[in-house]
């Protein structure tokens, strides 16, 4: 049975409000249904849901968390600093992610995936970010954006062809942003023209995560600029169809993660590589980014925890004025405060993930989790640098790296301003007459 | 004879090696409540070795089945699930909340082995909680099977013999034995794999049987009594001596070791 947390009156108001604006932009109608094709992983009965805390994981979720934590510490950690300095991802680590099934978390077993829950993916992203937010975002984009687009929208042919590759060997990326279209995603200019059994794509993309190492690209392009957002279409593109890397960006943080400008010059893509329907790319982009935000929240949460775990032991090693610095009240209050904020970010993130799994509305909660987790990541990593003093400011310890890595959280997959807009829009609908 | 070999591995749930252990307030043992537990690292090596043998052995020496066995409280099932996620085919849980001594564990194992009839039993050389290093040897004694302890290399030959390289004080010792046999693992035998995500999910569907010591007719009453558990004395700071004479004097008169 479907039980909503929204009161009956609010639901009526919502329905009325939606009825009054039938022609509004797509995002207006988002609350009326949940955009999650994943099946619910929990029985929606009072017995099971009401009595568990958000820290209660299933046995397999718990095992995955522990496994990923070990992988991160044993395999990723020794390479973190080297990869950051070189601004390059170690291919052995990407292979390790594939070999251990971390690149097809929700992918069905028939397509070589783990067929695990959405929260499992969230836990994977969080645990990786505690050690390296760069590896974490690589895994996040691949799982929560690329794999999910294939699972939800692609034809059976495309699923069969690409999901097993994406689960076992080929990295994916999500190509939406352009020089002139960031938050205003639907202002994109990349053109796709139908020529026989192929589309010919021309244009360029900016700030594409994973594009340096990826083989499979989800490219958003318009088939007819006169149709506005209703011309936007999503294509599966393989690197050798003609994706050119125009420039690799040099960045403040998450430097091991590749971010590139791409250009497409008369790139021929077969008609069957259209994902979903022609002209429905805008819908795919909106829906996928709604749940993708929970992944970024998890990355920022892991980052905050990682920074905290870096600084805390130091507080009980370093003595000044004859006491551990962690025993001074001024420090105690600071780390207690940060711990509370990390816990709050964790609850927001897990709750948004569980809501999505249960098939309930989660868009507002996802935006809240992403916004807040990125703010907490910034505060926690900033404090971690301060708490470690001169040592924290050096590149010998990862505190400064977490501090550099956190800034992206307020920018990608919807800036903080866009999250606030989303939250405000959904709130206003509840109250507006 | 059936067409392949069957391996039984023992796994124990212990306090995680990264946890700083603390003696409990009643001084009867270490604190285990709200403490992270995992599979005994030597047992992980045992599971890994069984899986590697399966990956390596072909033809008549093919490994037909890997069975994981654990004796302990309800939560020992988590450890068995880990063994299943690593690659074991099925699991047996002898469930008891009693503290088990190596002799009791060996008796429980011998009873299960007489039913399951594996060709090879691989155990960790010791568990990192009690460091007893006895179960494998006692089990070999009870079953009257050959044993190869502290293994750093294991090979099965012709479906009937085993060649094991053992780590002994003087170096490496190579022994051969007939099957069935008991092997206990040393640290350098292999590096255990991670349980991959798809295998963690598949482990949920693998069979796990639970039985009690009473079902097996084994008396698990403790033969040993723990008088008291205390923390090791805190290390006293060392001193720097000026001369050999002073050192000798201290060793002779203060430390009284000469």
């Amino acid at each position: 049975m479907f039980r909503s947390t929204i009161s009956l009156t609010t639901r009526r108001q919502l329905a009325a409000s939606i009825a009054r604006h039938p022609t509004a932009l797509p995002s207006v109608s988002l609350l009326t249904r949940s955009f999650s094709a994943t099946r619910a992983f929990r029985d929606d009965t009072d017995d099971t849901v009401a009595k568990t805390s958000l820290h209660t994981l299933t046995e397999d979720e718990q095992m995955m968390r522990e496994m990923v934590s070990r992988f991160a510490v044993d395999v990723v950690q020794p390479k973190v600093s080297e990869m950051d300095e070189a601004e390059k991802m170690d291919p052995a680590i990407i292979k390790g992610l594939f070999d251990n099934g971390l690149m097809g978390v929700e992918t069905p077993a028939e397509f070589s995936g783990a067929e695990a829950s959405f929260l499992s993916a969230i836990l994977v992203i969080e645990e990786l970010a505690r050690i390296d937010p760069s590896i974490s975002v690589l895994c996040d984009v691949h799982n929560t954006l690329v794999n999910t687009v294939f699972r939800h929208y692609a034809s059976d042919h495309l699923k069969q062809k690409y999901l097993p590759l994406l689960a076992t060997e080929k990295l994916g990326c999500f190509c939406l942003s352009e020089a002139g279209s960031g938050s205003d995603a639907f202002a994109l200019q990349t053109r796709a023209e139908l020529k026989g059994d192929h589309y010919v794509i021309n244009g360029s993309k900016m700030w594409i995560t994973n594009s340096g190492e990826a083989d499979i690209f989800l490219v958003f392009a318009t088939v007819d600029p006169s149709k506005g957002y209703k011309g936007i279409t999503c294509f599966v593109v393989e690197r050798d169809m003609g994706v050119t890397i125009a420039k690799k960006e040099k960045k403040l943080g998450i430097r091991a993660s590749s971010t590139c400008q791409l250009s497409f010059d008369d790139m021929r893509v077969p008609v069957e590589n259209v994902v979903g329907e022609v002209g429905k790319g805008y819908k795919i982009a909106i829906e996928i980014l709604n749940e993708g935000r929970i992944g970024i929240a998890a990355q920022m949460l892991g980052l905050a925890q990682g920074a905290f775990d870096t600084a805390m032991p130091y507080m009980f090693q370093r003595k000044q004025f004859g006491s551990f610095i962690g025993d001074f009240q001024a420090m105690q209050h600071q780390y207690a405060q940060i711990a509370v904020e990390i816990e709050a970010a964790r609850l927001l993130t897990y709750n948004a993930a569980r809501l999505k799994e249960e098939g309930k509305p989660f868009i507002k909660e996802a935006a809240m989790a992403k916004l807040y987790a990125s703010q907490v990541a910034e505060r926690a990593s900033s404090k971690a640098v301060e708490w470690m003093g001169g040592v924290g400011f050096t590149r010998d310890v990862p505190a400064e790296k977490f501090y550099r890595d956190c800034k992206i959280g307020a920018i990608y997959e919807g800036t903080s301003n866009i999250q606030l807009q989303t939250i405000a829009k959904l709130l206003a609908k509840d109250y507006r007459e | 004879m059936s067409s392949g070999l069957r391996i039984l591995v023992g796994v124990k749930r212990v306090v995680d090696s990264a946890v700083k252990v603390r003696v409990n307030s009643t001084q009867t043992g270490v604190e285990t409540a709200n403490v992270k537990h995992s599979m005994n690292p030597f047992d992980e090596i045992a599971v890994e070795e069984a899986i590697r043998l399966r990956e390596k052995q072909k033809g008549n020496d093919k490994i037909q089945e890997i069975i994981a066995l654990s004796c302990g409280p309800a939560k020992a099932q988590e450890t068995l699930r880990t063994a299943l996620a690593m690659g074991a085919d099925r699991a047996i849980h002898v469930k008891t909340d009693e503290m088990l001594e190596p002799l009791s564990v060996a008796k429980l194992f011998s009873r299960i082995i007489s039913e399951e009839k594996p060709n090879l039993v691989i155990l960790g050389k010791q568990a990192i909680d009690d460091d007893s290093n006895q179960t494998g040897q006692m089990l070999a004694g009870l079953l009257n099977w050959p044993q190869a302890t502290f293994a750093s290399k294991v090979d099965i030959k012709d479906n009937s013999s085993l060649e094991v390289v053992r780590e002994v004080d003087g170096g490496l010792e190579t022994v051969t034995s007939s099957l069935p046999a008991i092997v206990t693992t040393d640290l350098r035998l292999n590096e255990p794999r991670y349980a991959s995500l798809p295998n963690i999910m598949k482990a949920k569907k693998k069979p796990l049987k639970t039985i009690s010591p009473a079902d097996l007719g084994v008396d698990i009453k403790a033969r040993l009594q723990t008088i008291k558990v205390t923390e090791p004395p805190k290390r006293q700071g060392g001193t720097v001596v000026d001369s050999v004479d002073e050192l000798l004097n201290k060793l002779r008169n203060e430390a009284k070791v000469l």
Side-chain angles (χ1 to χ4, degrees):
Chain A
M1 195 178 85
F2 182 82
R3 282 159 35 87
S4 170
T5 46
I6 302 173
S7 75
L8 198 60
T9 10
T10 322
R11 286 167 62 81
R12 283 207 192 100
Q13 281 171 3
L14 269 175
S17 141
I18 289 155
R20 277 200 297 275
H21 306 284
T23 56
L25 274 171
S27 60
V28 173
S29 62
L30 290 183
L31 243 196
T32 57
R33 50 172 283 212
S34 104
F35 287 110
S36 157
T38 330
R39 62 196 160 82
F41 274 83
R42 297 186 141 197
D43 291 337
D44 196 7
T45 60
D46 291 341
D47 287 348
T48 55
V49 175
K51 289 176 190 165
T52 58
S53 78
L54 285 166
H55 287 283
T56 305
L57 302 175
T58 64
E59 196 179 71
D60 43 278
E61 286 165 349
Q62 185 63 39
M63 272 172 77
M64 286 183 202
R65 152 167 266 175
E66 281 168 21
M67 176 260 144
V68 178
S69 170
R70 277 178 68 177
F71 174 83
V73 171
D74 299 348
V75 180
V76 180
Q77 196 159 40
K79 299 283 180 67
V80 173
S81 171
E82 186 188 320
M83 294 193 300
D84 182 60
E85 295 284 340
E87 304 191 32
K88 201 171 179 332
M89 189 76 73
D90 184 337
I93 290 184
I94 302 181
K95 187 170 184 304
L97 294 172
F98 278 114
D99 289 349
N100 289 293
L102 305 184
M103 298 301 257
V105 181
E106 292 179 89
T107 304
E110 61 174 310
F111 299 127
S112 312
E115 201 169 324
S117 64
F118 179 67
L119 191 77
S120 305
I122 292 306
L123 295 170
V124 168
I125 295 158
E126 180 191 348
E127 287 301 323
L128 290 174
R130 285 173 74 162
I131 302 300
D132 188 1
S134 290
I135 295 287
S136 173
V137 75
L138 174 133
C139 183
D140 169 70
V141 167
H142 185 90
N143 275 292
T144 69
L145 300 186
V146 181
N147 285 339
T148 307
V149 165
F150 277 95
R151 284 202 323 281
H152 291 197
Y153 307 101
S155 64
D156 287 345
H157 165 72
L158 291 178
K159 279 185 200 169
Q160 274 157 18
K161 186 168 176 191
Y162 291 107
L163 276 173
L165 287 174
L166 288 162
T168 56
E169 56 174 314
K170 298 233 187 275
L171 186 66
C173 67
F174 185 85
C175 315
L176 181 64
S177 297
E178 295 181 6
S181 88
S183 295
D184 185 7
F186 299 154
L188 62 84
Q189 299 288 318
T190 297
R191 277 297 308 271
E193 284 176 275
L194 186 60
K195 298 247 170 93
D197 59 354
H198 279 74
Y199 278 92
V200 175
I201 299 182
N202 279 289
S204 62
K205 293 285 172 183
M206 291 281 279
W207 310 293
I208 306 304
T209 304
N210 288 358
S211 56
E213 300 87 8
D215 283 304
I216 295 165
F217 300 71
L218 290 173
V219 175
F220 291 85
T222 179
V223 293
D224 185 352
S226 72
K227 285 189 181 159
Y229 69 86
K230 286 185 175 167
I232 295 171
T233 305
C234 177
F235 298 88
V236 187
V237 174
E238 294 179 35
R239 180 177 287 272
D240 56 15
M241 288 176 182
V243 178
T244 316
I245 303 230
K247 183 192 168 200
K248 186 170 181 241
E249 305 292 352
K250 292 185 175 176
K251 308 194 294 295
L252 169 72
I254 55 164
R255 296 183 352 174
S257 159
S258 65
T259 307
C260 308
Q261 296 180 22
L262 308 177
S263 68
F264 317 120
D265 186 15
D266 283 339
M267 179 171 73
R268 285 164 63 84
V269 178
V271 170
E272 67 258 29
N273 278 27
V274 170
V275 180
E277 290 170 49
V278 173
K280 290 288 172 64
Y282 71 91
K283 205 158 158 282
I284 296 176
I286 287 186
E287 292 173 10
I288 230 57
L289 290 172
N290 280 334
E291 62 180 89
R293 284 167 185 161
I294 308 173
I296 298 303
Q299 184 212 16
M300 288 294 129
L301 165 63
L303 188 158
Q305 188 70 56
F308 192 78
D309 293 342
T310 301
M312 285 302 287
Y314 184 77
M315 306 261 244
F316 298 98
Q317 291 158 8
R318 169 87 167 163
K319 277 188 172 176
Q320 288 291 275
F321 308 104
S323 298
F324 288 121
I325 54 176
D327 287 332
F328 289 105
Q329 195 180 51
M331 302 302 282
Q332 289 175 324
H333 288 190
Q334 286 184 49
Y335 60 72
Q337 177 66 36
I338 293 294
V340 172
E341 293 180 17
I342 293 175
E343 177 72 3
R346 177 166 289 121
L347 298 182
L348 280 172
T349 305
Y350 291 3
N351 191 52
R354 288 296 193 209
L355 284 173
K356 198 206 90 73
E357 282 182 356
E358 289 165 14
K360 291 175 180 164
F362 67 90
I363 293 161
K364 183 175 69 184
E365 290 77 5
M368 287 175 167
K370 196 257 182 189
L371 173 79
Y372 189 69
S374 66
Q375 292 169 342
V376 172
E378 186 171 339
R379 283 197 288 273
S381 57
S382 171
K383 283 292 176 195
V385 173
E386 275 178 48
W387 295 341
M388 299 185 84
V391 171
F393 199 67
T394 68
R395 297 216 292 260
D396 294 336
V397 293
E400 61 84 32
K401 178 178 175 295
F402 283 120
Y403 186 45
R404 286 185 283 110
D405 288 353
C406 79
K407 272 318 292 188
I408 192 60
I411 299 168
Y412 61 13
E413 293 202 32
T415 63
S416 289
N417 283 332
I418 289 291
Q419 308 305 327
L420 289 166
Q421 281 299 113
T422 302
I423 297 163
K425 210 192 271 178
L426 291 167
L427 286 171
K429 262 201 287 187
D430 287 357
Y431 292 94
R432 203 188 298 279
E433 278 305 310
Chain B
M1 274 304 284
S2 61
S3 61
L5 298 169
R6 297 164 71 244
I7 302 179
L8 184 132
V9 287
V11 293
K12 183 178 184 184
R13 178 176 181 266
V14 298
V15 173
D16 188 84
S17 60
V19 170
K20 191 177 180 298
V21 291
R22 290 194 167 83
V23 172
N24 66 17
S25 54
T26 49
Q27 294 198 317
T28 53
V30 298
E31 197 60 69
T32 53
N34 299 317
V35 168
K36 186 175 184 250
H37 284 67
S38 0
M39 188 191 295
N40 176 38
F42 292 106
D43 298 346
E44 251 187 320
I45 294 171
V47 177
E48 175 68 28
E49 193 60 22
I51 302 164
R52 287 192 190 193
L53 286 169
R54 173 156 66 192
E55 287 165 354
K56 194 169 67 178
Q57 304 291 128
K58 299 278 182 276
N60 273 347
D61 292 350
K62 221 172 79 152
I63 308 300
Q64 184 193 320
E65 192 179 33
I66 299 169
I67 308 157
L69 169 60
S70 187
C71 309
K75 290 213 161 183
Q77 288 203 6
E78 289 172 13
T79 308
L80 285 169
R81 286 281 171 220
T82 305
L84 293 172
M86 286 175 74
D89 301 303
R90 62 185 170 95
I92 302 169
H93 177 206
V94 181
K95 190 174 161 190
T96 173
D97 289 327
E98 297 295 316
M99 277 296 286
L100 292 173
E101 291 170 2
L103 182 61
S104 305
V105 177
K107 285 180 179 170
L108 292 168
F109 266 64
S110 74
R111 202 55 59 91
I112 299 270
I113 287 165
S114 64
E115 282 174 25
E116 297 288 345
K117 300 188 172 47
N119 306 84
L120 178 63
V121 175
I122 311 180
L123 306 173
K125 70 169 180 180
Q126 67 196 62
I128 60 164
D129 51 0
D130 56 20
D131 278 343
S132 291
N133 192 337
Q134 294 168 3
T135 304
Q137 295 88 329
M138 286 176 169
L139 180 59
L142 289 171
L143 291 167
N144 199 22
W145 283 12
Q147 57 174 313
T149 51
F150 312 113
S152 64
K153 193 166 183 293
V154 176
D155 278 312
I156 296 174
K157 288 179 177 159
D158 307 327
N159 212 344
S160 59
S161 77
L162 190 68
E163 185 176 293
V164 176
V165 178
R166 305 179 62 231
E167 296 198 4
V168 293
D169 278 354
L172 298 176
E173 180 184 70
T174 305
V175 296
T176 56
S177 105
S178 58
L179 288 176
I182 311 280
V183 168
T184 73
T185 62
D186 214 327
L187 202 60
R188 278 161 289 272
L189 179 57
N190 60 49
E191 269 187 52
R193 70 195 60 197
Y194 304 101
S196 77
L197 260 56
N199 289 340
I200 289 173
M201 296 305 286
K202 281 176 201 150
K204 285 201 294 191
K205 296 185 187 112
K206 292 182 178 176
L208 192 158
K209 185 171 89 176
T210 302
I211 44 174
S212 72
D215 294 339
L216 295 166
V218 174
D219 168 20
I220 55 164
K221 195 162 60 66
R223 266 70 175 172
L224 301 171
Q225 189 192 349
T226 301
I227 315 279
K228 194 177 172 189
V229 176
T230 56
E231 287 194 16
K234 286 246 178 331
R235 185 181 175 276
Q236 306 292 321
T239 55
V240 177
V241 292
D242 289 329
S243 67
V244 175
D245 289 343
E246 195 187 341
L247 174 66
L248 285 172
N249 181 40
K250 279 185 181 291
L251 288 174
R252 195 166 286 136
N253 300 319
E254 284 181 31
K256 298 188 197 302
V257 291
L258 291 182

